[in-house]
Amino acid sequence: MSTRRFVPVQWSSQVTRKAAGLLTAGLLLGVSAFASPRRQEQHFKVDARPVITIHNPNGLITVKAWTKSEVMVISTLASDQVAVDAEQMGNRVDVSTHGLSDSLSPDDMRTDFQINVPEDAELQIHNDSGSVSVANVMGDMNVETVAAGVDLEDAAGYLTVKTVGGSFQCLRCAGRIEVSSISGNFRLIDLRSYHVWAQTSTGNILFNGEFLPNGTYSLKNYSGVIEVRFSPADSFDMSATSLKGKVNNEAKLTPPTHQHHFVPKWGNALFGTFNQGRAKVELTSFDGTINILKRD
Amino acid sequence: MAIIKCEEFLSRFEPWMEGERHADIQAHLRNCPHCHAIVNDLNAIQAEARSWSSSETDAPERVWTALREQLEKEGLIRDTVLDSKRSGRQAASARWLWGLFGGVPRPVLAGAYLAALIAVAFALSGPIHKKVNEEKWLEGTRIATSPLRAELNTAEQNSALSLASSNSDVSASLHQNLAIVDNYIALCEKSVREDPQNEIARDYLYEAYRQKADLLAQMSERGENVQ
C-alpha cells in the first residue's frame, strides 16, 4: 500500500493500471492540461474497512459501494481556481477541496465528486452546500453539512448525520441512526434500524419502517409534523407528547400496566403498548402535530 | 452516614467529577434521579469533549481571546471568590469546566464550552425547581441564563461580523437558521415564563440554547474561512 499524491489524470478504458507507469503518468499529466483540466480521477488500493474522508465546501458528492478493494475518486472542478487534494495514508484516503485564491465565489469553489468505495468502508463527509448521496455502503458513516441535503440508501453501520438546514433521507438503512438538524426535514423510509434518534427544530419527520424488537426510536422536533407509520405486526411501547400541538393516533394501544413512564402534566400526551411492546417509541414535539398512522 | 440534599451535592460535585468518591454523595446519587442525571450528562459531555481529535484545525487566537474576555466580563470564569453563594457556585463550576476541557482543542472548546455552560446552568437550577415556588425558580433561571444569553448575543454579533463578507448559500442558511433558533428561544422563554415548572418547555429551551451555541461556533469557524 503506497501513499500517492493526487495528480490530475484522465483515465481511459484503454489505459490499464499496469501500463500506467511513471512515463505514462507524466505524459497524461501533460495531455490533461489541454484535454480536460476540470475532471480528475485517482485510484487507491485499500485493505478491508478503509476510512475515507471528504471535505468539500460546495458541490455534489456521490458515493457508491463496489466490489473492488479500491477507492476511485472522480472530481469535477468548476474552475481552475480550485484544487482537489486526495492522498492515502495507510488504509485511509483523505479528499479535500481548497481554493487557490482568496476571493472565490461559491460557484468557483464548486466541486462535484463521484467516489466508489469498498462496501465495508467508513465514511466521514463534510459538505457545506450542494448534496451528499451515499448508496450501499455498510461501514460507519458521519456526514455533516450546512445547507446540503443528505440521501443515504441501503446503508448500515453507525450512521450519524448533522445538518443545519439540509434535509435528510434514509432509504432501507439499517444499524444505528442518529440525525440532527435545525430546519431540515427527515424521511426515514423502509428502515431496518434498531436505534433511531432524530431531532430537528422546525423540520418534519416521517418514519415509515419496522420497529425491531428491543429497538429504540426517538423522534423529536419543535414544530412541524412527526409522522410515524406502523404495520399490524409491529410491537412497540409508545410515548407521544406534543406540548402545544395535537397527537393523532390510529394504533389501538393498551394502557401501560406498570407505571414506569414519566407522565408529563403538560400538553397532549399518549402512552400505551401495541402488541407486546417490544420496541420503545418516543415522539416529542413542542407545538407540532404528531401523527401515528397505519401503514398503507 | 449523613443524608445529603441536592444543594449540598451541587456544592460538592466538582471534586466528585474529579474522581473523589464519598459514600454520602454516592448514596445521594443512588436516591436522586435528577442529580444522577446531571452527573450522567456531565460525564457524557466530558467524554465527548475528550473524544474530539486533537488534530482539529485550531481557531484563530482572537476568537478564543474574545470568548474568554466575554466570559470573564460576565463573571463566569473569574478567579476571585465571589461574595454570594450563588455566584460563587457559578464561578466554581466555570473553573471546574476549564479544567474539564483543558486538553481539548480551542475551536471545539468554543462551542463545547458554551454548550457545557448552558448544560451546567440548567442543571444547577434544575434540582431545586421541583421543590420551590415558581418565583424562586424563575429567579434561579434568570441568574443562570442571563450571562449565557449575553454571551450568546456577543458571540452572535462577532459571528455576524465575520460572516459579513460572505454571500454564499452557506452564509444565508446559517443566518436563516439562526433566526429560526432565536425565534424558538423566544417562544420557549415565553412558555417557561408562563409556566415555570413546565419541564418540557425548559427542556426545549435548554435545547434551543445548545443549538444556538453550536450554530454560532459554526459561524465563527466559517467566518474566519471567508475573511
Side-chain angles (χ1 to χ4, degrees):
Chain A
M1 193 160 40
S2 63
T3 300
R4 284 188 277 174
R5 293 291 298 178
F6 184 61
V7 287
V9 176
Q10 182 155 28
W11 292 78
S12 71
S13 57
Q14 290 81 19
V15 180
T16 64
R17 292 182 60 76
K18 285 182 182 177
L22 286 174
L23 185 62
T24 309
L27 183 63
L28 288 171
L29 255 174
V31 170
S32 66
F34 298 100
S36 179
R38 292 183 173 183
R39 186 176 183 278
Q40 301 174 337
E41 181 173 330
Q42 179 68 303
H43 294 247
F44 302 92
K45 284 283 182 192
V46 291
D47 296 327
R49 300 174 66 85
V51 177
I52 293 96
T53 72
I54 305 153
H55 286 259
N56 188 42
N58 179 24
L60 311 180
I61 297 178
T62 305
V63 182
K64 288 181 181 168
W66 64 3
T67 54
K68 298 178 185 176
S69 297
E70 184 178 296
V71 174
M72 178 180 74
V73 179
I74 299 174
S75 50
T76 306
L77 293 76
S79 75
D80 56 4
Q81 294 300 302
V82 65
V84 170
D85 284 332
E87 60 181 352
Q88 184 170 13
M89 297 286 287
N91 205 31
R92 177 187 179 104
V93 176
D94 295 319
V95 181
S96 62
T97 308
H98 65 270
L100 298 175
S101 68
D102 292 335
S103 54
L104 285 179
S105 72
D107 285 343
D108 288 336
M109 282 293 287
R110 182 186 172 103
T111 305
D112 296 339
F113 287 96
Q114 182 191 324
I115 299 175
N116 287 74
V117 302
E119 251 191 5
D120 60 354
E122 177 184 328
L123 301 177
Q124 297 172 16
I125 302 174
H126 290 248
N127 193 39
D128 283 348
S129 61
S131 72
V132 176
S133 172
V134 181
N136 301 105
V137 177
M138 301 295 148
D140 294 346
M141 212 176 292
N142 176 267
V143 183
E144 292 191 19
T145 78
V146 175
V150 179
D151 284 347
L152 306 184
E153 202 175 304
D154 297 302
Y158 189 168
L159 313 176
T160 55
V161 176
K162 183 177 176 184
T163 80
V164 173
S167 61
F168 171 67
Q169 175 165 294
C170 209
L171 186 62
R172 295 183 301 274
C173 294
R176 184 183 176 98
I177 299 170
E178 294 183 3
V179 54
S180 66
S181 179
I182 291 176
S183 59
N185 294 321
F186 300 161
R187 288 171 57 84
L188 311 169
I189 308 295
D190 294 336
L191 293 195
R192 281 194 52 80
S193 175
Y194 59 88
H195 174 97
V196 176
W197 180 88
Q199 181 172 321
T200 175
S201 292
T202 56
N204 301 323
I205 303 176
L206 169 64
F207 181 99
N208 188 351
E210 275 188 59
F211 295 112
L212 300 181
N214 300 316
T216 57
Y217 304 86
S218 174
L219 313 179
K220 183 176 182 180
N221 71 3
Y222 176 83
S223 58
V225 175
I226 297 178
E227 184 170 311
V228 169
R229 293 190 168 265
F230 66 93
S231 70
D234 282 338
S235 173
F236 53 81
D237 216 7
M238 171 67 72
S239 159
T241 305
S242 182
L243 188 62
K244 295 180 184 293
K246 287 183 181 173
V247 178
N248 302 313
N249 175 40
E250 291 183 355
K252 285 189 178 175
L253 303 175
T254 54
T257 50
H258 43 285
Q259 195 61 37
H260 65 279
H261 282 289
F262 164 68
V263 182
K265 293 172 284 187
W266 304 275
N268 299 307
L270 175 72
F271 300 97
T273 302
F274 191 74
N275 289 332
Q276 293 78 33
R278 288 185 178 143
K280 185 181 175 189
V281 181
E282 192 174 295
L283 314 175
T284 317
S285 186
F286 190 87
D287 69 358
T289 301
I290 296 175
N291 294 324
I292 303 158
L293 307 176
K294 288 177 186 169
R295 202 176 296 161
D296 296 329
Chain B
M1 182 172 57
I3 297 172
I4 67 166
K5 294 184 176 177
C6 294
E7 289 195 39
E8 190 178 349
F9 163 71
L10 288 171
S11 69
R12 294 167 59 190
F13 87 113
E14 181 181 348
W16 169 270
M17 293 303 295
E18 288 171 352
E20 285 185 28
R21 295 291 181 262
H22 295 285
D24 54 349
I25 293 184
Q26 277 178 320
H28 177 74
L29 286 176
R30 274 196 300 272
N31 296 322
C32 177
H34 199 103
C35 290
H36 191 253
I38 291 170
V39 169
N40 281 347
D41 286 350
L42 290 169
N43 279 334
I45 290 168
Q46 189 174 23
E48 182 68 19
R50 286 185 175 151
S51 73
W52 279 318
S53 164
S54 58
S55 62
E56 291 270 358
T57 308
D58 208 2
E61 190 66 24
R62 68 172 186 80
V63 173
W64 182 247
T65 305
L67 178 64
R68 181 173 181 125
E69 281 175 357
Q70 186 59 36
L71 291 173
E72 284 175 343
K73 196 187 297 178
E74 297 292 342
L76 285 171
I77 58 169
R78 63 186 168 193
D79 291 329
T80 55
V81 178
L82 301 178
D83 293 333
S84 74
K85 283 184 181 176
R86 187 178 281 132
S87 301
R89 197 167 67 192
Q90 284 183 333
S93 303
R95 281 197 301 275
W96 171 75
L97 279 165
W98 279 108
L100 180 73
F101 290 108
V104 178
R106 286 175 177 180
V108 178
L109 203 51
Y113 186 57
L114 281 174
L117 275 175
I118 292 165
V120 170
F122 270 79
L124 287 176
S125 60
I128 308 164
H129 49 66
K130 281 185 181 170
K131 297 176 182 173
V132 300
N133 59 39
E134 294 184 354
E135 193 176 304
K136 194 170 176 183
W137 191 89
L138 272 177
E139 176 65 5
T141 304
R142 189 189 62 76
I143 289 167
T145 57
S146 293
L148 295 167
R149 193 181 299 114
E151 166 58 24
L152 287 171
N153 288 340
T154 305
E156 183 174 349
Q157 287 165 9
N158 292 340
S159 300
L161 283 173
S162 60
L163 267 176
S165 61
S166 170
N167 192 26
S168 67
D169 291 345
V170 174
S171 173
S173 178
L174 289 169
H175 282 289
Q176 185 186 346
N177 282 281
L178 185 61
I180 288 171
V181 174
D182 281 338
N183 181 51
Y184 175 13
I185 287 173
L187 292 170
C188 289
E189 284 178 339
K190 182 172 178 285
S191 290
V192 171
R193 276 197 303 273
E194 287 168 356
D195 186 359
Q197 297 199 37
N198 186 328
E199 291 171 13
I200 297 175
R202 286 206 309 273
D203 181 46
Y204 271 94
L205 179 57
Y206 155 72
E207 186 56 34
Y209 277 132
R210 192 200 60 74
Q211 281 189 337
K212 183 163 180 177
D214 189 38
L215 200 50
L216 292 175
Q218 287 197 49
M219 291 174 79
S220 293
E221 284 177 23
R222 283 171 176 78
E224 283 309 304
N225 290 338
V226 296
Q227 274 186 333

